[in-house]
């Protein structure tokens, strides 16, 4: 029921979700689970950079920074997509890069935000699958960011790193530069593709 991270058949996906819920409740000693957080990947997941700029009076205030972030969040997304998460990037005050712009003197604040987004239809299918099991949807996360948060140390993020999370049908990636997420996304190629390629190669060699 799930192909490359996307639900394509709710009826086929339902038994797997029911089994996962049963296993989780068993591990918790029979406790009833009433809600769940969903981590998403899939072919329809993508990201875009949303720049924004605000003119300043004398120095950057917290309100200036929030205004710039609000402008960035309002950047139009592809048709039929909704944001999963918004990740602030590096800011610049009069062209000078900074990770902490508040209180810096200047006349112009520029900021960049990475917006990770996914097809609304697939997000609704995941919610429908949870509804069928009487589970409340708490939050939706980008699975690649979850993996990066768990796997990368602060020193690695500061030095610059790329995390690649190879799944069965999709591969997530998150790229860090100077502690900031520079890019993120997913591609519809995973471990199954390599396995099938090896099987196909073995079949050809046996001919």
């Amino acid at each position: 029921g799930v192909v490359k991270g996307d639900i394509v058949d709710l009826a086929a996906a339902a038994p797997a979700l029911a089994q996962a819920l049963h296993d989780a409740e068993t591990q918790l000693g029979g406790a009833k689970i009433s809600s769940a957080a969903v981590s998403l990947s899939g072919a329809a997941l993508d990201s875009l950079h949303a720049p924004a700029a605000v003119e300043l009076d004398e120095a950057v205030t917290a309100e200036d920074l929030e205004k710039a972030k609000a402008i960035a969040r309002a950047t139009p997304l592809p048709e039929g997509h909704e944001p999963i998460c918004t990740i602030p990037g590096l800011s610049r005050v009069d062209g000078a890069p900074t990770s902490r712009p508040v209180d810096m003197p200047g006349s112009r604040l520029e900021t960049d935000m990475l917006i990770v987004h996914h097809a609304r239809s697939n997000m609704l299918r995941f919610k429908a699958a949870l509804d069928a099991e009487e589970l409340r949807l708490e939050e939706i996360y980008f699975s690649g960011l979850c993996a990066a948060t768990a796997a990368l140390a602060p020193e690695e993020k500061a030095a610059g790193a790329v995390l690649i999370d190879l799944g069965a049908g999709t591969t997530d990636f998150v790229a860090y530069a100077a502690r900031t997420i520079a890019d993120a996304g997913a591609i519809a190629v995973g471990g199954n593709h390599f396995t099938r390629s090896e099987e196909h190669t073995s079949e050809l060699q046996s001919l």
Side-chain angles (χ1 to χ4, degrees):
V2 178
V3 177
K4 297 181 179 180
D6 296 334
I7 293 180
V8 297
D9 188 331
L10 275 171
L17 177 58
Q19 185 61 52
L21 179 60
H22 175 267
D23 291 346
E25 290 180 338
T26 299
Q27 292 177 7
L28 293 173
K32 175 68 175 176
I33 296 175
S34 60
S35 63
V38 174
S39 64
L40 286 185
S41 181
L45 185 141
D46 204 350
S47 65
L48 59 81
H49 285 273
V54 173
E55 300 300 322
L56 308 173
D57 291 331
E58 294 182 356
V60 181
T61 64
E63 290 76 15
D64 292 326
L65 183 58
E66 287 305 314
K67 182 179 179 180
K69 289 180 179 179
I71 293 171
R73 289 191 193 99
T75 299
L77 298 178
E79 184 69 24
H81 276 229
E82 288 188 0
I84 294 178
C85 61
T86 55
I87 306 168
L90 200 64
S91 296
R92 295 179 180 274
V93 179
D94 292 347
T98 175
S99 59
R100 297 182 179 180
V102 175
D103 294 331
M104 286 193 65
S107 59
R108 181 179 174 86
L109 167 67
E110 297 172 282
T111 190
D112 181 74
M113 180 173 286
L114 188 70
I115 302 178
V116 180
H117 54 90
H118 206 299
R120 181 184 304 113
S121 58
N122 196 49
M123 295 166 70
L124 290 174
R125 285 193 290 270
F126 271 96
K127 185 178 185 305
L130 294 180
D131 288 343
E133 295 296 329
E134 299 182 348
L135 290 172
R136 183 177 70 257
L137 177 61
E138 289 285 354
E139 190 63 80
I140 295 177
Y141 299 98
F142 168 40
S143 58
L145 183 58
C146 295
T149 301
L152 293 178
E155 301 78 27
E156 294 171 317
K157 296 175 183 178
V162 177
L163 179 130
I164 298 176
D165 186 10
L166 181 66
T170 60
T171 299
D172 300 333
F173 66 90
V174 180
Y176 284 85
R179 296 186 177 88
T180 301
I181 296 179
D183 202 3
I187 57 175
V189 175
N192 285 346
H193 296 81
F194 297 104
T195 303
R196 290 169 187 160
S197 295
E198 290 176 0
E199 291 173 349
H200 184 60
T201 299
S202 297
E203 290 172 359
L204 290 175
Q205 290 173 343
S206 65
L207 295 178

